Each structure stands twice: as C-alpha cells, then as structure tokens.
C-alpha cells in the first residue's frame, strides 16, 4: 500500500518550507502525482478548450471562496478527479485505387490507455472527431462516416485492418466541425484487457453532392478532409481514495492579536514551478501559495492556537511530565488545487489534488 497522500503532500511542503528545495527527494512529490518520473515532453500540446474552461472555472471559484466538489466534473456530468486528452496514434490507410466506390478516406485510430492506473475507475470516454471548422456557407458534399472496432492487429502492407462490428454509422454535412461519440464501454474493455485494444477503423464515404449548384470534386474534398481531420479521446477517471468529502470546519478560538510571532501560525510560502524546473511539463498554474505551519505550542496558549482536544491533553500531560512530547504546529485545514500538465505520452491531463494549500494551523 502506498504512502498516505496527505502525509506525502505535507512532507513535500515541509521540506520546501525548511529551505531544502534543492535536496528534497523529488520522487515524493512525483509519487503524490502518480508519476514514476518527471515528464519531459518535447513541446506542449495545445490545451483542449474543455480542459481550459474547467481549469479556469475552478481557479475562479477558488479565488472567490465558492465551495466546489473537485471530484465531480459538472461540465461533463460525471464523477472524476483526473481528466486526460489522449491523442490519436493511428495512421491513414491509402487504397490502391483512390476514391474508388466513393471512399474518401480510411484511418486506423489508436489510443494508448496505459496511463490509467489500476485503482482509477473510468467514468467517461468520449471520442472526438474534428472534421474541420464548421460553416453555414459553401457546404461541401454529404459524408457518411463509419466506425468499426478492429478485431485483429494491423499487418503492414495489408490495405485495411480486419474490422469487427460496426460501432457508429452517421451521415453528416461537411464542413461539420467536431463530432462526439460515447466510447465508455469500449474503453473499459480495452483498459481491462489491453491485449484487445487494436483501435478503431474509420471510413468516410462521399455521398451524392448537394443540390447547391456547386460542382464538388471528391478528390479535392477528401484531400482537404484528410488535412483537417483530428481525433482524440477524452477520458475521465475517479480515484475514490483521493476524493474525500469536504471536512466540516471546526470552530476555533481566534489567536490573540498581541500574540508572539514565535507562536504557532501560518506562514506564506509560494511554490514557483519554474524555480523547481517543473515548468517544462506543468502547463498551469505557474505556481501556487502552499503556505506552511511553524511556531511554538506552549501549554498556556494551547486553547487559543486552534488546537485539538488531544493536543490540549498532551500539553497538560507535558506540564506534569516533561518527558511527554510537546504539541507541535501542524495544518488544521487544507484545501485542494487543480493542475494542468503533460506526460511523456503527449497526454494533456487536468487533475485534482487534495490537501495542497495550508489554510489554517493549529497545535496537534
């Protein structure tokens, strides 16, 4: 069983607070992020609009203090704390006789699901097919789009992979824009049985031209479509171990204004990802105000320092028996952050992390 995540986060913040940013063990934080090593992408991929919007909405809510459940993606209507955009790693297939029998293009779509951890539950898998910018003017020919599950691995030199049952059949005008398909059941099967993931076979056919008075050449339309086609898979997963219900804030006695600066209280600590060299794979935020707790917990003021009942009894015993350890200054309230980053597989990931910001300190 892995280390308890809040303990990892606290160790990470404490090490930075003590000025040991250069010496601290980076793997502790990477383990907290469920990464085996620091990603080193060659370049940042464009952040999909939906991930950017969700991230910005969460940042705005956090700034205004609005309560939010970061393990529920309201924009998509599903539970989850990890959102991944998986790029298509497939390739176009070129028939020996182009444009024969109205065939416009054929493509093998393949998505690598290996980044999904064993304890993550798939709650959404949405295939996105971008056919180019949509337009209400100068519409092209009617297209027929067919998606098949591939039953066997593709053999090089073979014209088409062996398609299985048809997954989707849809007629669309072109230019159309983006199309969405629910791939949850298929993705679950692939995730449980990686050896069965041979991808999808996409075929687009050109139907008869519209009665628009414009003479479309199938070759021109298909060439443009091949240039503009872009496929991706949006995957949302939930790790229930990392999602706990919002903890009710315990009423505390305010610290006296004239209290000594050496007493337990919150100190500001801004973590700049560029200073740590993590800006090479973390897209946003550029950093965050993590803060840390430090200071004394004397018995005389334990009640005033947002302490637990246990800390008060410990301080009472320490006054009687000096060998009893004194209560220490620790976080009593923490809040989460969301992070956008890219891994080594060119996946753009939006992830929710609990217990990353120290809001209040107390003796414990």
């Amino acid at each position: 069983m892995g280390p308890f995540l809040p303990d990892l986060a606290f160790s990470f913040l404490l090490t930075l607070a003590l000025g040991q940013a250069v010496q601290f063990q980076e793997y502790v934080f990477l383990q907290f992020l469920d990464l085996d090593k620091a990603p080193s992408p060659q370049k940042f991929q464009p952040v999909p609009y939906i991930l950017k919007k969700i991230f910005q909405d969460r940042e705005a809510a956090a700034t205004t203090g609005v309560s939010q459940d970061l393990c529920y993606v309201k924009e998509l209507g599903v539970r989850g704390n990890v959102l991944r955009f998986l790029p298509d790693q497939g390739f176009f297939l070129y028939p020996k006789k182009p444009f024969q029998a109205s065939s416009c293009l054929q493509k093998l779509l393949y998505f690598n699901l290996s980044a999904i951890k064993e304890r993550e539950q798939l709650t959404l898998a949405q295939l996105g097919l971008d056919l180019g910018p949509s337009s209400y003017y100068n519409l092209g020919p009617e297209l027929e789009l067919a998606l098949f599950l591939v039953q066997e691995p593709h053999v090089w030199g073979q014209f088409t992979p062996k398609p299985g049952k048809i997954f989707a059949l849809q007629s669309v005008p072109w230019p159309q824009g983006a199309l969405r398909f629910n791939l949850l059941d298929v993705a679950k099967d692939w995730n449980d049985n990686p050896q069965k993931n041979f991808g999808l076979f996409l075929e687009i056919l050109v139907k008869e031209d519209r009665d628009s008075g414009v003479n479309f050449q199938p070759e021109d339309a298909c060439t443009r479509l091949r240039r503009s086609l872009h496929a991706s898979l949006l995957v949302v997963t939930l790790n229930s171990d990392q999602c706990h219900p919002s903890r009710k804030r315990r009423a505390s006695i305010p610290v006296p204004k004239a209290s000594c600066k050496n007493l337990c209280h919150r100190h500001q600590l801004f973590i700049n990802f560029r200073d740590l060299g993590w800006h090479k794979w973390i897209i946003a935020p550029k950093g965050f105000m993590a803060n840390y707790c430090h200071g004394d917990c004397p018995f005389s003021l334990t009640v005033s320092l947002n302490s637990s009942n246990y800390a008060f009894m410990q301080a009472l015993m320490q006054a009687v028996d000096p060998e009893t350890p004194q209560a220490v200054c620790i976080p009593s309230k923490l809040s989460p952050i969301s992070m956008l980053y890219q891994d080594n597989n060119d996946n753009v990931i939006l992830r929710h992390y609990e217990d990353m910001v120290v809001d209040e300190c107390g003796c414990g």
Side-chain angles (χ1 to χ4, degrees):
M1 181 179 296
F4 186 53
L5 293 182
D7 291 342
L8 285 174
F10 178 67
S11 299
F12 163 68
L13 297 177
L14 179 61
T15 307
L16 290 180
L18 295 177
Q20 300 169 358
V22 178
Q23 292 82 17
F24 88 103
Q25 300 297 320
E26 185 180 26
Y27 75 86
V28 173
F29 184 66
L30 294 176
Q31 187 178 11
F32 178 70
L33 298 182
D34 267 351
L35 295 172
D36 298 327
K37 60 180 180 179
S40 55
Q42 297 299 316
K43 63 177 181 179
F44 279 131
Q45 298 292 329
V47 179
Y49 170 77
I50 184 64
L51 293 194
K52 186 182 298 183
K53 181 180 186 304
I54 294 172
F55 178 80
Q56 292 173 344
D57 289 348
R58 291 180 173 182
E59 287 281 279
T63 302
T64 56
V66 176
S67 176
Q68 54 181 336
D69 181 359
L70 296 185
C71 286
Y72 177 75
V73 188
K74 63 179 181 180
E75 291 84 356
L76 301 173
V78 296
R79 295 283 296 167
N81 63 323
V82 185
L83 292 82
R84 295 180 176 92
F85 249 88
L86 311 182
D88 171 32
Q89 299 180 9
F91 48 85
F92 284 102
L93 301 165
Y94 294 92
K96 297 178 180 178
K97 296 181 179 180
F99 315 113
Q100 184 180 22
S102 72
S103 178
C104 188
L105 66 81
Q106 296 177 336
K107 192 176 193 298
L108 179 69
L109 306 179
Y110 181 80
F111 302 99
N112 185 357
L113 304 182
S114 62
I116 300 175
K117 304 296 183 180
E118 182 178 352
R119 58 188 176 276
E120 295 181 32
Q121 174 191 354
L122 269 167
T123 59
L124 181 141
Q126 187 180 80
L127 172 66
L129 293 178
D130 190 349
L131 305 182
S134 59
S135 172
Y136 295 101
Y137 306 100
N138 300 324
L139 289 177
E142 187 85 5
L143 303 177
E144 185 173 87
L145 183 148
L147 275 170
F148 301 85
L149 291 174
V150 178
Q151 298 298 311
E152 296 180 359
H154 178 69
V155 179
W156 289 102
Q158 180 179 314
F159 167 46
T160 58
K162 184 179 179 180
K165 66 178 182 179
I166 190 167
F167 178 74
L169 181 64
Q170 184 173 346
S171 294
V172 296
W174 188 73
Q176 167 64 28
L179 300 174
R180 310 292 179 196
F181 300 91
N182 181 4
L183 214 67
L184 181 58
D185 291 338
V186 174
K188 283 183 176 179
D189 190 31
W190 287 346
N191 191 49
D192 295 337
N193 307 281
Q195 70 278 6
K196 295 173 60 176
N197 182 6
F198 302 125
L200 298 169
F201 174 58
L202 169 67
E203 184 173 30
I204 298 180
L205 308 177
V206 179
K207 302 181 72 174
E208 292 184 5
D209 292 346
R210 293 169 175 270
D211 186 16
S212 59
V214 180
N215 182 24
F216 290 100
Q217 297 297 322
E219 294 86 350
D220 295 338
C222 294
T223 300
R224 289 166 53 198
L225 184 59
R226 187 176 287 108
R227 285 200 303 261
S228 60
L229 177 65
H230 178 74
S232 61
L233 185 67
L234 172 59
V235 173
V236 180
T237 61
L238 174 68
N239 186 338
S240 57
D241 294 339
Q242 298 174 357
C243 291
H244 51 69
S246 299
R247 287 165 290 201
K248 186 177 180 181
R249 181 173 176 178
R250 179 174 55 84
S252 60
I253 303 173
V255 178
K257 294 182 180 179
S259 61
C260 176
K261 64 179 181 179
N262 293 330
L263 295 180
C264 174
H265 68 282
R266 184 186 66 175
H267 299 256
Q268 287 191 344
L269 171 67
F270 182 78
I271 295 180
N272 189 323
F273 290 137
R274 177 171 290 275
D275 292 343
L276 301 174
W278 296 342
H279 65 289
K280 298 175 183 178
W281 52 279
I282 296 179
I283 302 172
K286 304 302 181 185
F288 68 102
M289 188 65 74
N291 304 321
Y292 68 99
C293 297
H294 186 66
D296 298 330
C297 291
F299 169 69
S300 58
L301 287 176
T302 300
V303 177
S304 302
L305 295 178
N306 197 23
S307 306
S308 63
N309 292 334
Y310 176 81
F312 177 77
M313 295 303 298
Q314 182 178 357
L316 182 62
M317 286 302 301
Q318 202 269 339
V320 176
D321 182 4
E323 294 186 3
T324 301
Q326 187 176 13
V328 295
C329 186
I330 58 173
S332 58
K333 183 175 184 293
L334 299 105
S335 57
I337 66 169
S338 293
M339 283 175 50
L340 264 173
Y341 63 92
Q342 186 172 318
D343 66 11
N344 284 321
N345 293 323
D346 291 331
N347 302 322
V348 179
I349 302 169
L350 173 59
R351 188 156 190 162
H352 155 69
Y353 292 105
E354 295 277 1
D355 302 326
M356 292 294 287
V357 177
V358 175
D359 296 321
E360 296 177 2
C361 299
C363 294

